[in-house]
Amino acid sequence: MRYIRPRSLTWWSGVLATTTGVAALAAPASEPVGELGRLLALFAGSGDASPAGLIFLGLGLIGVRDRLERGFRGDA
C-alpha cells in the first residue's frame, strides 16, 4: 500500500487533518475539535476550517506526498 507511510511527516499531517475533519463532522458542538480545526486550517494557509475542507486538505496532503515521491523516483 503506497499511500500508508507512517514515517512521513506529510502523511501524518494529512491523517491529522482528515481525522479532525471527521471528528468535527461527528461532534460539531465540541469546542476543542473546532479550535484544532481552525489551527490546522491556519497552518495550511486556508481560511476554510469546515469539516469537508479539513477532510479534503488531509486527503490532498496524503496524495501530494505520494505523487512527489513517485515523481522523484521517476515512476510518474
Side-chain angles (χ1 to χ4, degrees):
M1 300 213 30
R2 68 181 197 210
Y3 284 105
I4 299 175
R5 302 284 187 210
R7 292 186 179 186
S8 169
L9 183 60
T10 306
W11 185 82
W12 280 109
S13 299
V15 168
L16 179 65
T18 303
T19 305
T20 304
V22 169
L25 237 153
S30 176
E31 188 61 33
V33 173
E35 287 298 318
L36 181 60
R38 283 189 282 281
L39 180 65
L40 286 174
L42 179 68
F43 282 152
S46 171
D48 183 21
S50 69
L54 290 170
I55 292 170
F56 286 127
L57 171 69
L59 293 176
L61 285 172
I62 292 170
V64 164
R65 188 233 159 268
D66 180 64
R67 178 65 184 137
L68 286 174
E69 181 179 300
R70 285 188 292 140
F72 286 132
R73 281 192 318 218
D75 294 345

